[in-house]
Amino acid sequence: MLLCTGRVRAGIPLLFDGVATQRSIWIVLRRYGDTPIVRHVDNDTLKPVRWVGSSNADLKRFPDSVRRRIGFAVYQAQAGFQHRDAKPLKGFGSGVLEVVTRHDGDAFRAVYTVRFEAAVYVLHAFQKKSRRGIRTPKRELDLIARRLNTAERHYRETLSGQ
């Protein structure tokens, strides 16, 4: 039996039989009316996160609400899900996703890849400052491409045999 207190919202940990543990968690995937659709995730089965370049330090400079949303998107990727705000980044093929979050009129973006079986690599986190259109600036795309190559090399050398 699933016991929960208060309102159930996407991504909020739930109590199972009245006990929350550090080793497992129930997450709300989505809601249909008042009915939460939940899934149990064992923390031992989560893919590890690898931060490429300055992506972790860049993300830490974002506002709290932005960090929480992007962090939850990465957590869902670790658990094998895709966040509702995660969209494929054009020009990089499958498995490279971008999460765009707005805060006080600014756009914040994080790019990560789920191409690899044993890890999630966060490639870049940045605030889009361009006032012209929604297109990702070329210098950011070039940086993402370099970091994706770095991630592929790291994965081949260290994790592909697991």
Side-chain angles (χ1 to χ4, degrees), residues 88-147:
L89 185 60
K90 291 182 178 156
F92 288 91
S94 66
V96 178
L97 303 170
E98 177 181 46
V99 177
V100 180
T101 295
R102 300 190 68 64
H103 177 78
D104 288 341
D106 296 322
F108 295 87
R109 298 178 180 204
V111 178
Y112 61 92
T113 184
V114 293
R115 282 185 182 172
F116 311 113
E117 185 178 330
V120 174
Y121 284 84
V122 180
L123 304 173
H124 192 31
F126 62 101
Q127 179 180 357
K128 185 174 178 305
K129 296 182 178 182
S130 173
R131 301 264 184 230
R132 291 186 284 149
I134 62 171
R135 179 176 289 168
T136 304
K138 182 174 177 3
R139 72 178 186 284
E140 305 291 352
L141 293 174
D142 292 343
L143 179 60
I144 292 165
R146 286 193 306 273
R147 289 184 176 179

Side-chain angles (χ1 to χ4, degrees), residues 48-50 116-121 151-162:
V49 175
R50 307 287 187 219
F116 311 113
E117 185 178 330
V120 174
Y121 284 84
E152 288 171 345
R153 189 170 48 255
H154 180 268
Y155 184 77
R156 261 194 326 270
E157 294 170 358
T158 61
L159 298 173
S160 62
Q162 289 186 357

